[in-house]
Amino acid sequence: MATPTMDKVGTDPSASPASPYITVTFRIRRFNPEVSDEAQWQDFQIEIDPKERVLDALHKIKWDVDGTLTFRRSCAHGICGSDAMRINGKNRLACKTLIKDINPEKPITVEAIKGLTVLKDLVVDMDPFFQAYRDVMPFLITKGNEPTRERLQSAEDRERFDDTTKCILCAACTSSCPVFWNDGQYFGPAAIVNAHRFIFDSRDEGGEQRLEILNDRDGVWRCRTTFNCTDACPRGIEVTKAIQEVKRALITRRF
Amino acid sequence: MSTESSAAIGSVEGVSLYDVDHPAPVIEPPRKRTGKTPKGSRTNFEMYAWLFMRLSGIVLVVLVLGHLLIQLVLDGGVSKIGFAFVAGRWASPFWQVWDLAMLWLAMLHGANGLRTVINDYAERDNTRFWLKMLLYTATVFTVLLGTLVIFTFDPNIR
Ligand code: HEM
Ligand code: SF4
Ligand code: FES
C-alpha cells in the first residue's frame, strides 16, 4: 500500500488543507464464474494521492472496500511481470502506472489483458502464452563438450541482444497484438523476443532450430507491423524491431 | 478515508444459475495454443509469400498508378474508353505485357492478402479450408480467363 510520507504519519490525510488526496473513480471489469457468466463493469470511488500507482489503488480497493477483487501481483516494482492489465484501454503494468499520468479526472478503466481466457476479474489463464514461450526453446543450446570455465563473450556480442534480455514475460505485448487476439496459434511478440534473445547470442548454437520454428505458419511472418507490442512493453523493449531482425535473419539465411 | 462502491456484481434477488460447484463457462480465445499445437511444416512458403507481397507491391505501384492515369486521366479521361481504345492498346505487345503483369501480380497479391485475412479471422479448420478453396478457385479462374483474353483478343469480332 501507500508509503506514508514523514509529515503525514498519524494525521487524517483528508483533514489537512494541503491534502494531496483526490477522489478517483476506478471502473473495473469484474468477472466471477461462480456468480455469473457475464462480466460487468463496477465503479469504485477512492481517495488517493495521484502520485501513487494503479496497483496501490487496487490494493486499497481490495483491502478496504471489496476483498473479492482478484488480480495478480508479486514484486510491485515492475520486475516479476504478473500485473499486466488493460488500463484506460492500453496494456500496462499496474505497478508502474502513476495515477496522475492517466487523467484521474475521468473514471480509470481497468480490465484483464485481451486474447487469453479470463478466469476471474483481472486474472487470465497464461498457459497458452507460456506454451508459445516454451515452443521457441528459451534456453541455451550448445554442442560438444562443456567448457571448464564460463562461456566468454565480447561486450559487442553481449550488446547485440541486450534489448531482448530485459523481457519479464508480462504478456503485455502478446495480448496487445491484434493477430494474437484473432488467432492464438500465432507465437506472439513475447515468444519471438525471447527467441531473439538466444538467436543473436554468440554463445548459443540452437539459433538455426529457433529460426526454423519461427519461419513457419504461426511464426514471424504473421506479424503485420502494427507496433502495438512496442507501445505496450513496460520494459521499453523495441519489440517490433526484434521481430523484424528475426525476419531479416531468415531472409538473409536464404539469400 | 471515505470509500464507496456502486453496483454489486451478480444477481441480488433471485437464484443465480452458478455457484462454486457449478461455475459458469469461461470464454476461451480463438484457437488457443496448447502442447498439441501442430509442429511446423518446415517449408519457406510463408517467407516467400511475405516477400512476394512486398516485391509485387512495389511493382504494382507503377503498374496500377500508370494504368489508372492512362485509363482515367489522360486524353479525356474515362469517356474515351471503348472497344476501339482497348483494341488499339492491345495491338502493342508492350501494353499486352503491362496488362498481363498487372493481372498476375494484382491477382496473386490480392489472393495472398485474402489468404492472410482468412487465416486471421476463420476459427474452425473446416471454415478455413473451404474459404481458401473458394479463394483459390476464383483466383485461378480469373487469372486464366484474363490471360486467355489478352492473348487471344481479336479486334475484328463483331
Ligand atoms: C498499389 C500498390 C500496392 C502495394 C505497394 C501493396 C502492398 C501491400 C503489402 C506490403 C501488403 C502486406 C501487408 C502486411 O503484410 O501487413 C499488402 C497486403 C494486401 N494487399 Fe496490397 N499492395 C498494393 C496493391 C494491391 C492491390 C491492387 C490489391 C488488390 C488486388 C491489394 C490487395 C491486398 C490485400 C487483400 C492485402 C492483405 C491485407 C492484409 O494483410 O490485411 N493490394 N499490400
Ligand atoms: S517483451 Fe515487454 S511486453 Fe512483451 S512480455 Fe516481455 S516485458 Fe512484457
Ligand atoms: S507486480 Fe511485479 S511487475 Fe508489477
Side-chain angles (χ1 to χ4, degrees), chain A residues 84 93 129 166-174 189-191 193-194 229 232-237 239:
Chain A
L93 292 180
F129 174 78
K166 296 175 188 157
C167 177
I168 57 175
L169 292 170
C170 65
C173 54
T174 296
V193 159
N194 287 280
C229 47
C233 181
R235 306 284 296 157
I237 299 172
V239 184

mmCIF file of all heavy atoms in Angstrom, chain A residues 84 93 129 166-174 189-191 193-194 229 232-237 239, ligand 2:
data_model
loop_
_atom_site.group_PDB
_atom_site.id
_atom_site.type_symbol
_atom_site.label_atom_id
_atom_site.label_comp_id
_atom_site.label_asym_id
_atom_site.label_seq_id
_atom_site.Cartn_x
_atom_site.Cartn_y
_atom_site.Cartn_z
ATOM 1 N N ALA A 84 0.317 -7.245 -15.525
ATOM 2 C CA ALA A 84 -0.062 -6.562 -16.765
ATOM 3 C C ALA A 84 -1.574 -6.540 -16.850
ATOM 4 O O ALA A 84 -2.225 -7.549 -16.599
ATOM 5 C CB ALA A 84 0.523 -7.287 -17.980
ATOM 6 N N LEU A 93 1.703 -2.228 -16.853
ATOM 7 C CA LEU A 93 1.845 -2.841 -15.540
ATOM 8 C C LEU A 93 1.186 -1.904 -14.532
ATOM 9 O O LEU A 93 1.519 -0.723 -14.478
ATOM 10 C CB LEU A 93 3.318 -3.003 -15.177
ATOM 11 C CG LEU A 93 4.136 -4.014 -15.996
ATOM 12 C CD1 LEU A 93 5.568 -4.035 -15.479
ATOM 13 C CD2 LEU A 93 3.536 -5.408 -15.901
ATOM 14 N N PHE A 129 0.121 -18.595 -23.431
ATOM 15 C CA PHE A 129 1.239 -17.661 -23.553
ATOM 16 C C PHE A 129 2.562 -18.378 -23.249
ATOM 17 O O PHE A 129 3.530 -18.282 -24.001
ATOM 18 C CB PHE A 129 1.023 -16.486 -22.595
ATOM 19 C CG PHE A 129 2.171 -15.518 -22.504
ATOM 20 C CD1 PHE A 129 2.367 -14.572 -23.496
ATOM 21 C CD2 PHE A 129 3.045 -15.561 -21.434
ATOM 22 C CE1 PHE A 129 3.419 -13.683 -23.421
ATOM 23 C CE2 PHE A 129 4.108 -14.674 -21.347
ATOM 24 C CZ PHE A 129 4.295 -13.727 -22.346
ATOM 25 N N LYS A 166 15.747 -8.005 -21.522
ATOM 26 C CA LYS A 166 15.036 -7.263 -20.477
ATOM 27 C C LYS A 166 13.618 -7.760 -20.256
ATOM 28 O O LYS A 166 12.905 -7.262 -19.381
ATOM 29 C CB LYS A 166 14.977 -5.786 -20.857
ATOM 30 C CG LYS A 166 16.339 -5.131 -20.935
ATOM 31 C CD LYS A 166 16.199 -3.705 -21.448
ATOM 32 C CE LYS A 166 17.547 -3.081 -21.728
ATOM 33 N NZ LYS A 166 17.427 -1.979 -22.704
ATOM 34 N N CYS A 167 13.163 -8.718 -21.072
ATOM 35 C CA CYS A 167 11.764 -9.160 -21.011
ATOM 36 C C CYS A 167 11.451 -9.799 -19.664
ATOM 37 O O CYS A 167 12.225 -10.587 -19.129
ATOM 38 C CB CYS A 167 11.485 -10.153 -22.128
ATOM 39 S SG CYS A 167 9.815 -10.807 -22.076
ATOM 40 N N ILE A 168 10.280 -9.440 -19.109
ATOM 41 C CA ILE A 168 9.840 -10.024 -17.842
ATOM 42 C C ILE A 168 8.616 -10.913 -18.034
ATOM 43 O O ILE A 168 7.953 -11.281 -17.071
ATOM 44 C CB ILE A 168 9.532 -8.921 -16.804
ATOM 45 C CG1 ILE A 168 8.480 -7.954 -17.350
ATOM 46 C CG2 ILE A 168 10.801 -8.184 -16.403
ATOM 47 C CD1 ILE A 168 8.027 -6.902 -16.347
ATOM 48 N N LEU A 169 8.290 -11.241 -19.283
ATOM 49 C CA LEU A 169 7.206 -12.174 -19.591
ATOM 50 C C LEU A 169 5.877 -11.751 -18.972
ATOM 51 O O LEU A 169 5.159 -12.564 -18.394
ATOM 52 C CB LEU A 169 7.582 -13.588 -19.122
ATOM 53 C CG LEU A 169 8.730 -14.211 -19.909
ATOM 54 C CD1 LEU A 169 9.203 -15.482 -19.238
ATOM 55 C CD2 LEU A 169 8.313 -14.489 -21.351
ATOM 56 N N CYS A 170 5.564 -10.477 -19.135
ATOM 57 C CA CYS A 170 4.324 -9.982 -18.551
ATOM 58 C C CYS A 170 3.135 -10.198 -19.487
ATOM 59 O O CYS A 170 1.991 -10.093 -19.072
ATOM 60 C CB CYS A 170 4.460 -8.494 -18.254
ATOM 61 S SG CYS A 170 4.665 -7.481 -19.730
ATOM 62 N N ALA A 171 3.399 -10.456 -20.768
ATOM 63 C CA ALA A 171 2.367 -10.699 -21.788
ATOM 64 C C ALA A 171 1.659 -9.420 -22.248
ATOM 65 O O ALA A 171 0.693 -9.493 -22.990
ATOM 66 C CB ALA A 171 1.331 -11.724 -21.345
ATOM 67 N N ALA A 172 2.161 -8.260 -21.844
ATOM 68 C CA ALA A 172 1.530 -7.017 -22.303
ATOM 69 C C ALA A 172 1.595 -6.910 -23.825
ATOM 70 O O ALA A 172 0.642 -6.463 -24.467
ATOM 71 C CB ALA A 172 2.207 -5.805 -21.660
ATOM 72 N N CYS A 173 2.736 -7.341 -24.406
ATOM 73 C CA CYS A 173 2.880 -7.216 -25.857
ATOM 74 C C CYS A 173 1.978 -8.203 -26.585
ATOM 75 O O CYS A 173 1.187 -7.822 -27.455
ATOM 76 C CB CYS A 173 4.342 -7.428 -26.261
ATOM 77 S SG CYS A 173 5.057 -8.976 -25.677
ATOM 78 N N THR A 174 2.106 -9.481 -26.229
ATOM 79 C CA THR A 174 1.336 -10.516 -26.929
ATOM 80 C C THR A 174 -0.159 -10.231 -26.840
ATOM 81 O O THR A 174 -0.891 -10.366 -27.818
ATOM 82 C CB THR A 174 1.671 -11.897 -26.344
ATOM 83 O OG1 THR A 174 3.051 -12.177 -26.610
ATOM 84 C CG2 THR A 174 0.818 -12.984 -26.972
ATOM 85 N N PRO A 189 4.448 -11.726 -29.976
ATOM 86 C CA PRO A 189 5.698 -10.987 -29.816
ATOM 87 C C PRO A 189 6.587 -11.476 -28.675
ATOM 88 O O PRO A 189 7.809 -11.557 -28.846
ATOM 89 C CB PRO A 189 5.242 -9.544 -29.575
ATOM 90 C CG PRO A 189 3.764 -9.542 -29.575
ATOM 91 C CD PRO A 189 3.266 -10.855 -30.049
ATOM 92 N N ALA A 190 6.023 -11.824 -27.534
ATOM 93 C CA ALA A 190 6.886 -12.178 -26.400
ATOM 94 C C ALA A 190 7.725 -13.418 -26.708
ATOM 95 O O ALA A 190 8.921 -13.474 -26.395
ATOM 96 C CB ALA A 190 6.046 -12.412 -25.145
ATOM 97 N N ALA A 191 7.124 -14.422 -27.352
ATOM 98 C CA ALA A 191 7.879 -15.633 -27.687
ATOM 99 C C ALA A 191 8.995 -15.289 -28.675
ATOM 100 O O ALA A 191 10.115 -15.812 -28.570
ATOM 101 C CB ALA A 191 6.950 -16.697 -28.274
ATOM 102 N N VAL A 193 10.487 -12.333 -29.019
ATOM 103 C CA VAL A 193 11.500 -11.580 -28.272
ATOM 104 C C VAL A 193 12.440 -12.546 -27.546
ATOM 105 O O VAL A 193 13.665 -12.382 -27.568
ATOM 106 C CB VAL A 193 10.818 -10.629 -27.253
ATOM 107 C CG1 VAL A 193 11.782 -10.229 -26.144
ATOM 108 C CG2 VAL A 193 10.290 -9.392 -27.964
ATOM 109 N N ASN A 194 11.875 -13.581 -26.940
ATOM 110 C CA ASN A 194 12.710 -14.497 -26.164
ATOM 111 C C ASN A 194 13.494 -15.459 -27.043
ATOM 112 O O ASN A 194 14.544 -15.960 -26.629
ATOM 113 C CB ASN A 194 11.860 -15.218 -25.127
ATOM 114 C CG ASN A 194 11.481 -14.277 -24.006
ATOM 115 O OD1 ASN A 194 12.263 -14.024 -23.109
ATOM 116 N ND2 ASN A 194 10.290 -13.686 -24.099
ATOM 117 N N CYS A 229 2.860 -3.917 -29.872
ATOM 118 C CA CYS A 229 3.707 -4.573 -28.885
ATOM 119 C C CYS A 229 4.758 -3.614 -28.345
ATOM 120 O O CYS A 229 4.989 -3.544 -27.134
ATOM 121 C CB CYS A 229 4.357 -5.817 -29.485
ATOM 122 S SG CYS A 229 5.098 -5.546 -31.105
ATOM 123 N N ALA A 232 3.270 -1.253 -25.986
ATOM 124 C CA ALA A 232 2.782 -1.837 -24.733
ATOM 125 C C ALA A 232 3.913 -2.213 -23.787
ATOM 126 O O ALA A 232 3.715 -2.241 -22.574
ATOM 127 C CB ALA A 232 1.928 -3.070 -25.029
ATOM 128 N N CYS A 233 5.097 -2.508 -24.303
ATOM 129 C CA CYS A 233 6.127 -3.126 -23.455
ATOM 130 C C CYS A 233 6.539 -2.204 -22.304
ATOM 131 O O CYS A 233 7.069 -1.119 -22.514
ATOM 132 C CB CYS A 233 7.356 -3.500 -24.265
ATOM 133 S SG CYS A 233 8.615 -4.293 -23.237
ATOM 134 N N PRO A 234 6.321 -2.651 -21.056
ATOM 135 C CA PRO A 234 6.680 -1.813 -19.903
ATOM 136 C C PRO A 234 8.187 -1.745 -19.688
ATOM 137 O O PRO A 234 8.665 -0.906 -18.938
ATOM 138 C CB PRO A 234 5.997 -2.519 -18.733
ATOM 139 C CG PRO A 234 5.909 -3.937 -19.153
ATOM 140 C CD PRO A 234 5.705 -3.918 -20.646
ATOM 141 N N ARG A 235 8.935 -2.609 -20.349
ATOM 142 C CA ARG A 235 10.388 -2.588 -20.232
ATOM 143 C C ARG A 235 11.029 -1.758 -21.328
ATOM 144 O O ARG A 235 12.258 -1.729 -21.437
ATOM 145 C CB ARG A 235 10.936 -4.017 -20.276
ATOM 146 C CG ARG A 235 10.316 -4.946 -19.251
ATOM 147 C CD ARG A 235 10.851 -4.708 -17.867
ATOM 148 N NE ARG A 235 12.268 -5.007 -17.831
ATOM 149 C CZ ARG A 235 13.125 -4.511 -16.938
ATOM 150 N NH1 ARG A 235 12.687 -3.698 -16.016
ATOM 151 N NH2 ARG A 235 14.392 -4.828 -16.984
ATOM 152 N N GLY A 236 10.224 -1.165 -22.185
ATOM 153 C CA GLY A 236 10.765 -0.339 -23.251
ATOM 154 C C GLY A 236 11.521 -1.119 -24.310
ATOM 155 O O GLY A 236 12.351 -0.550 -25.025
ATOM 156 N N ILE A 237 11.252 -2.408 -24.414
ATOM 157 C CA ILE A 237 11.918 -3.211 -25.454
ATOM 158 C C ILE A 237 11.346 -2.829 -26.812
ATOM 159 O O ILE A 237 10.144 -2.638 -26.957
ATOM 160 C CB ILE A 237 11.706 -4.716 -25.183
ATOM 161 C CG1 ILE A 237 12.317 -5.098 -23.841
ATOM 162 C CG2 ILE A 237 12.295 -5.564 -26.306
ATOM 163 C CD1 ILE A 237 12.001 -6.514 -23.399
ATOM 164 N N VAL A 239 10.088 -4.150 -29.415
ATOM 165 C CA VAL A 239 9.612 -5.493 -29.747
ATOM 166 C C VAL A 239 9.496 -5.682 -31.255
ATOM 167 O O VAL A 239 9.979 -6.679 -31.812
ATOM 168 C CB VAL A 239 8.263 -5.770 -29.062
ATOM 169 C CG1 VAL A 239 7.811 -7.190 -29.336
ATOM 170 C CG2 VAL A 239 8.372 -5.536 -27.559
HETATM 171 S S1 SF4 C 2 8.567 -8.027 -24.490
HETATM 172 FE FE1 SF4 C 2 7.910 -6.434 -22.971
HETATM 173 S S2 SF4 C 2 5.636 -6.527 -23.078
HETATM 174 FE FE2 SF4 C 2 6.379 -8.412 -24.027
HETATM 175 S S3 SF4 C 2 6.355 -9.939 -22.353
HETATM 176 FE FE3 SF4 C 2 8.461 -9.045 -22.440
HETATM 177 S S4 SF4 C 2 8.411 -7.340 -20.965
HETATM 178 FE FE4 SF4 C 2 6.246 -7.887 -21.355
#
